[in-house]
Amino acid sequence: MANILNIETSSKICSVAVSSSDQIIGSVLAEETFTHARDLTSLIEELLKQCDMSLNELDAVAVNSGPGSYTALRVGYSVAKGLCFGLDIKMIAHSSFEILFEQFKILGSGDSYDCVIPMIDARRDEVYMETFDSDGSTLTDAQSFILEEEALKKKISTKKNILIIGDAAEKAKLQLKGAEFHFIQCEMEAAQMAVLSWSKYQAGSFENVAYTIPFYLKPPNIVASKKKYF
């Protein structure tokens, strides 16, 4: 048995959950969007109080590594690293695509799909995605992609029954009109990480706390300021 604090900061709603082995024993979501820097540590404090636990009872911290919001990912990693350093416990990381595939197992496993595409909203017509067989085998690596139906069909070749799941599903539905496409719009939450976290804890799949960084997928779009200060 292990008590694992799960932290999800990749999306607009910050959330935390405590799991014992693969079972959730408590979870808390922020009430407002994009308040990660302000609220994350308070949410953890509230969660531990709700679960009648102390920080010293944690065996590991699991965090969503991304992709997602650049700033929000850094907030999650900073808090996770601080806790792991201070408590001398293990750090676990999951990609957003792994977490969304776990959601597929819950929300879409009653149907048969040739291909499952966790898809995350990015700017304009762009998304972040990775493609899997229904058993979880990777078909194409994680990538940024401009939504275009024929281009996506070429990437997934002969797949005829395709599920797109994630916060970009509704956006994708506007571009992908083929009958082979199916959609589940959903947000990521820390509570969805419990099974993954326990699996990696058992396997000893831990991060090097000093050197691990978020999985941004592509560099941030940083533009030099045009303001003249002097």
Side-chain angles (χ1 to χ4, degrees), residues 101 104-105 111-116 132-137 139:
F101 193 84
F104 152 69
K105 292 179 181 178
D111 298 305
S112 177
Y113 297 103
D114 299 316
C115 178
V116 179
F132 299 89
D133 272 333
S134 58
D135 65 359
S137 301
L139 295 173

Side-chain angles (χ1 to χ4, degrees), residues 31-67:
E31 295 182 355
E32 301 177 54
T33 59
F34 300 111
T35 59
H36 307 65
R38 186 190 74 187
D39 291 345
L40 180 54
T41 53
S42 297
L43 290 176
I44 293 171
E45 184 178 14
E46 178 184 344
L47 172 64
L48 292 175
K49 184 176 180 180
Q50 176 190 111
C51 298
D52 193 25
M53 290 178 64
S54 70
L55 287 172
N56 291 326
E57 294 177 81
L58 296 175
D59 298 292
V61 178
V63 64
N64 184 341
S65 63

Side-chain angles (χ1 to χ4, degrees), residues 75-118:
V75 170
Y77 257 63
S78 296
V79 171
K81 283 189 172 195
L83 289 171
C84 291
F85 269 125
L87 298 170
D88 192 24
I89 58 177
K90 302 297 185 181
M91 181 173 173
I92 301 166
H94 313 302
S95 77
S96 297
F97 306 121
E98 291 178 291
I99 297 168
L100 285 171
F101 193 84
E102 284 298 309
Q103 272 291 82
F104 152 69
K105 292 179 181 178
I106 298 168
L107 300 175
S109 59
D111 298 305
S112 177
Y113 297 103
D114 299 316
C115 178
V116 179
I117 309 179

Side-chain angles (χ1 to χ4, degrees), residues 131-201:
T131 64
F132 299 89
D133 272 333
S134 58
D135 65 359
S137 301
T138 300
L139 295 173
T140 64
D141 291 336
Q143 60 196 275
S144 59
F145 182 75
I146 302 297
L147 279 171
E148 201 281 316
E149 187 165 343
E150 290 306 313
L152 182 56
K153 287 179 179 178
K154 287 180 181 178
K155 282 186 176 293
I156 54 182
S157 186
T158 59
K159 304 302 179 183
K160 299 297 183 184
N161 200 19
I162 303 153
L163 176 67
I164 292 171
I165 183 169
D167 68 357
E170 288 298 327
K171 183 167 87 169
K173 195 173 185 179
L174 299 175
Q175 303 288 339
L176 309 176
K177 302 296 185 179
E180 64 266 52
F181 293 106
H182 308 272
F183 306 89
I184 296 178
Q185 177 78 13
C186 65
E187 301 286 344
M188 284 177 285
E189 294 182 13
Q192 298 159 8
M193 297 163 59
V195 173
L196 279 172
S197 298
W198 176 234
S199 177
K200 289 187 179 181
Y201 187 91

